[in-house]
Amino acid sequence: MLVVMKAHASQEQVRAVCERIESLGYRAHPIPGAQRTAIGITGNKGAMEPGTLDEMSGVQEVIQVSKPYKLVSRDAKEEDTVVRFAGSDGSFGDRDLGIVAGPCSIESREQAFAVAERVARGGARFFRGGAYKPRTSPYAFQGLGEEGLKIMAEIRDRFGLKIITEALDDESLVLVAEYADVIQIGARNMQNFSLLKRAGRAKKPVLLKRGMSATLDELLMAAEYILSEGNYNVMLCERGVRTFSDFSRNTLDLAVVPAVKKRSHLPILVDPSHGTGKRHKVLPLSRAAVAVGADGLLVEVHHEPEKALSDGIQSILPEEFAELSAEIRQIAAVVHRQVN
Ligand code: PEP
Ligand code: MN
C-alpha cells in the first residue's frame, strides 16, 4: 500500500502518518518527490486496512499497489533515483553515465594499480575488482580478501576513483561496506535474501546484478528486499542470462533496460563483459547498451589479459577501453546523455 500525500502536506503531517503506520506494526518509507511525498508501507503482517490512514490530514489518497514490488516501483517514486558520491563527478541515474572499469579480480597491488591508472586516464570514475570471488570451481583463485580491499582503498586515494566490489556473504559484506563505495551483490547471490537484507542495512549504495536465470520481476523483488530495509541507493545491473544461444557465455538481455525504466525509478547498468564472455563483443554491446538507455556500464579491463587469474578472455585491453570510452561519448550525446 502507498499513501500519497497532498502536494503541500507539511513535514508534521508526513511524520504523523509515518507514526500511525509504525504504531500498527508496519514500516513506513517516506519517499519525497518533486510534486509530492509518497509513503510506502511494508511489513509481512498481511494487508493493512486503508481506512486507518484515509482520513488523516495531508493525505490525498491511499492506493493499493497491485505489483508485488512497491518501493522500487514508479508508483512509489516517479522521478529517477540518482546515486551520487561525495567528492566525485561520477553518478548513476542522471544525465551522466557512470562508467565502471577494472579487472575481474584484484590479483596483486601491481596489477590493480596498472589497470586503475589506465582506466582513470580512459575516463572511468569507478574502479571495479573482486576481492572475494564466486568461482565455479573451489580450486580456482578465490580472491585476495581483505588485502584486495586495502589495495582498492589505496587506488581510491591515488586516482580519485570510487570503488565497487562484491560481497559474497555476511562476513565479507561487513568488510566491503567498510572499504568500498559500492557493495556489489553478484548474479549468484541475487536471491540470497539474508544477504540482501544485510545490504539493505548497510550505509553504502548497492549494485545488484541480475541472476543468470532471473526474471525481471525476480530482479525487482530482490531490489525490494534492499530498499525495504531502508537502503534506497540501489543500482541494478544486466549481466546476461542463460539461453540456448551457444556462441557467447550469456545472452545480454538489453531489452530489459527499457523494461526496467518503465517499471522502476532505479538506475540500471549493463555489464557487456559477463554478458558476452568475449573480448571482441564488449565494444559493440557497450555501444548498444548506451543506445538503449543504460545508466552506466561495467566493463572488465586487464593490461595482461592472457595472464589474468579470472575472466581474461572477456577482459578488454586498456587501449580498447579508451576507444570504448570515446565512442560511447558520441552515442551518449545522441540519446541526450553524457559522460563526464
Ligand atoms: C563480477 O562482476 O566479477 C561477477 C562475478 O559478476 P556476476 O556476478 O555477474 O557473474
Ligand atoms: Mn568477472
Side-chain angles (χ1 to χ4, degrees):
M1 221 155 60
L2 195 66
V3 181
V4 180
M5 300 299 289
K6 289 182 177 148
H8 303 294
S10 66
Q11 299 268 25
E12 289 70 47
Q13 289 170 330
V14 172
R15 199 172 318 126
V17 174
C18 291
E19 281 169 8
R20 173 75 63 86
I21 294 166
E22 308 259 340
S23 75
L24 293 165
Y26 296 87
R27 183 157 181 182
H29 301 262
I31 309 161
Q35 307 297 331
R36 45 136 181 99
T37 293
I39 305 169
I41 303 171
T42 61
N44 42 18
K45 278 184 25 151
M48 184 169 162
E49 277 293 311
T52 44
L53 303 168
D54 256 350
E55 303 301 321
M56 291 187 74
S57 60
V59 172
Q60 167 123 1
E61 60 175 331
V62 179
I63 50 176
Q64 214 72 42
V65 182
S66 54
K67 303 188 191 71
Y69 44 84
K70 303 172 175 42
L71 302 175
V72 305
S73 98
R74 289 249 184 227
D75 295 338
K77 183 168 173 259
E78 225 172 293
E79 301 86 30
D80 292 336
T81 285
V82 181
V83 181
R84 295 196 171 84
F85 299 84
S88 168
D89 289 338
S91 58
F92 299 98
D94 55 1
R95 201 163 175 266
D96 256 332
L97 301 181
I99 310 300
V100 185
C104 180
S105 307
I106 301 299
E107 300 167 11
S108 68
R109 197 171 177 280
E110 293 64 38
Q111 170 251 15
F113 269 70
V115 179
E117 194 260 316
R118 271 124 128 170
V119 298
R121 223 187 310 140
R125 297 276 182 206
F126 300 89
F127 182 72
R128 62 142 292 144
Y132 301 91
K133 295 304 303 176
R135 303 305 301 278
T136 303
S137 164
Y139 309 118
F141 177 60
Q142 305 284 309
L144 296 181
E146 189 171 1
E147 190 192 334
L149 297 177
K150 286 184 178 159
I151 293 169
M152 282 187 275
E154 267 190 71
I155 283 172
R156 173 179 43 227
D157 293 346
R158 169 79 79 87
F159 302 106
L161 296 164
K162 295 290 173 188
I163 302 303
I164 301 189
T165 192
E166 179 168 354
L168 276 188
D169 47 29
D170 287 357
E171 199 185 328
S172 52
L173 192 135
V174 172
L175 288 169
V176 166
E178 187 186 321
Y179 286 96
D181 300 291
V182 175
I183 302 163
Q184 178 173 321
I185 304 286
R188 289 156 192 81
N189 268 320
M190 191 204 82
Q191 285 190 314
N192 181 339
F193 300 119
S194 66
L195 188 64
L196 295 173
K197 285 188 193 170
R198 287 275 183 145
R201 294 195 288 270
K203 302 283 174 260
K204 296 280 171 74
V206 177
L207 177 74
L208 176 66
K209 299 190 88 175
R210 181 183 182 183
M212 55 190 87
S213 60
T215 63
L216 172 53
D217 266 12
E218 287 165 346
L219 172 63
L220 294 173
M221 292 304 292
E224 184 81 18
Y225 264 91
I226 304 172
L227 272 76
S228 72
E229 292 292 329
N231 189 348
Y232 303 106
N233 284 319
V234 175
M235 289 94 72
L236 307 172
C237 182
E238 162 58 30
R239 47 78 74 207
V241 289
R242 283 233 167 127
T243 69
F244 53 82
S245 170
D246 58 358
F247 59 87
S248 52
R249 180 176 179 185
N250 292 296
T251 298
L252 192 62
D253 181 14
L254 288 179
V256 84
V257 174
V260 164
K261 292 271 155 216
K262 186 162 182 281
R263 291 163 178 76
S264 176
H265 50 85
L266 297 177
I268 175 154
L269 280 70
V270 168
D271 168 357
S273 305
H274 296 87
T276 65
K278 296 277 162 55
R279 184 174 309 134
H280 72 276
K281 293 189 180 134
V282 173
L283 173 61
L285 271 300
S286 296
R287 295 179 187 128
V290 172
V292 86
D295 295 300
L297 292 176
L298 185 142
V299 182
E300 287 187 340
V301 181
H302 202 292
H303 66 308
E304 292 174 328
E306 67 289 347
K307 292 191 190 152
L309 296 181
S310 60
D311 285 348
I313 51 169
Q314 69 193 31
S315 300
I316 59 172
L317 292 159
E319 49 272 31
E320 290 172 319
F321 175 71
E323 185 191 337
L324 181 155
S325 178
E327 281 199 17
I328 59 164
R329 271 159 220 272
Q330 296 182 49
I331 296 169
V334 177
V335 292
H336 316 293
R337 306 294 286 268
Q338 62 187 32
V339 182
N340 218 331

